[in-house]
Amino acid sequence: ETGVTQSPTHLIKTRGQQVTLRCSSQSGHNTVSWYQQALGQGPQFIFQYYREEENGRGNFPPRFSGLQFPNYSSELNVNALELDDSALYLCASSLAGQGEETQYFGPGTRLLVL
Amino acid sequence: AQSVTQLGSHVSVSEGALVLLRCNYSSSVPPYLFWYVQYPNQGLQLLLKYTTGATLVKGINGFEAEFKKSETSFHLTKPSAHMSDAAEYFCAVSDLGGKLIFGQGTELSVKP
């Protein structure tokens, strides 16, 4: 059983650029959630994807968008990068319909915006 | 709205001593509660979870937590700390939609 994987591991961008982060869900899982973890903070929920559709969104602006593919992998896209977007971006996968839907996290992508 | 408060951003214990990390939650529905651990430059690893049933939950690496509804608490304990337990610990509550709401985290240091 493969766990959640994310790519790239690190990324440096400049303000105003766009970035795409990728996540492969754990084998057998059908739901992907994305979180932003600023330095010294707990993770903050960005959004969740289930069956290729957004299934809940946190308090993030529309320039944060995502996709889920038929194989349940997912992308997080951030447009018009701002300095405050510098953070660790975590992807978590789960299996919907199982009641408690425990989320299993990948290693994260660390994004630095200069 | 749901929320999580972790009391103490930093806890330091001696090796072999009791570990107690405090978590209080607010939820309008029966909560699902989780503890995750984060080692430096890594993602989150699930330590344990409470959904329904037995209120004392055992997890990996000798950790356990007790759900106390009357106190809205879910404190994490380990009888004897090991150097390898040094990490950041996050308590989280899940809403019905599966969104996790995390506390600010508690950094655990273990002194030899």
Side-chain angles (χ1 to χ4, degrees):
Chain A
E1 181 181 279
T2 46
V4 179
T5 60
Q6 293 185 242
S7 62
T9 56
H10 295 82
L11 206 50
I12 300 175
K13 292 285 188 178
T14 55
R15 194 170 50 182
Q17 285 189 312
Q18 177 266 341
V19 68
T20 297
L21 310 182
R22 295 177 175 83
C23 171
S24 291
S25 59
Q26 183 169 311
S27 176
H29 286 181
N30 56 16
T31 301
V32 172
S33 303
W34 286 92
Y35 294 82
Q36 180 195 66
Q37 185 180 17
L39 199 61
Q41 303 292 318
Q44 299 288 318
F45 176 74
I46 304 176
F47 44 55
Q48 184 181 85
Y49 277 83
Y50 172 64
R51 291 186 174 179
E52 301 178 53
E53 296 206 356
E54 190 177 287
N55 182 41
R57 188 179 184 92
N59 189 26
F60 281 82
R63 59 189 185 84
F64 285 78
S65 63
L67 284 173
Q68 187 180 31
F69 300 99
N71 66 354
Y72 305 123
S73 65
S74 176
E75 287 183 354
L76 164 64
N77 299 290
V78 187
N79 293 321
L81 283 166
E82 301 177 359
L83 297 180
D84 285 349
D85 295 334
S86 295
L88 180 67
Y89 288 85
L90 295 164
C91 165
S93 74
S94 56
L95 180 59
Q98 299 300 303
E100 37 86 1
E101 299 185 19
T102 300
Q103 295 185 26
Y104 295 90
F105 285 80
T109 294
R110 189 164 297 280
L111 172 65
L112 178 61
V113 182
L114 301 175
Chain B
Q2 295 174 303
S3 65
V4 173
T5 301
Q6 291 184 239
L7 299 177
S9 58
H10 187 257
V11 170
S12 182
V13 301
S14 297
E15 192 173 20
L18 171 71
V19 175
L20 171 60
L21 305 182
R22 300 177 186 274
C23 172
N24 287 90
Y25 69 91
S26 171
S27 178
S28 57
V29 297
Y32 295 149
L33 294 159
F34 303 82
W35 276 99
Y36 286 88
V37 61
Q38 186 175 36
Y39 297 99
N41 300 313
Q42 293 188 26
L44 303 178
Q45 181 183 6
L46 179 68
L47 273 179
L48 51 78
K49 63 185 178 185
Y50 169 79
T51 54
T52 58
T55 57
L56 182 62
V57 180
K58 296 187 184 298
I60 62 171
N61 301 337
F63 284 94
E64 62 182 38
E66 186 171 11
F67 170 62
K68 292 187 176 180
K69 184 178 179 180
S70 61
E71 299 178 8
T72 60
S73 69
F74 191 56
H75 302 330
L76 182 70
T77 60
K78 182 174 180 177
S80 177
H82 191 273
M83 296 296 290
S84 61
D85 295 327
E88 187 90 19
Y89 291 80
F90 292 96
C91 180
V93 62
S94 174
D95 69 7
L96 295 177
K99 161 187 169 183
L100 285 173
I101 298 160
F102 287 88
Q104 290 289 87
T106 297
E107 183 183 357
L108 175 66
S109 300
V110 182
K111 299 175 291 187

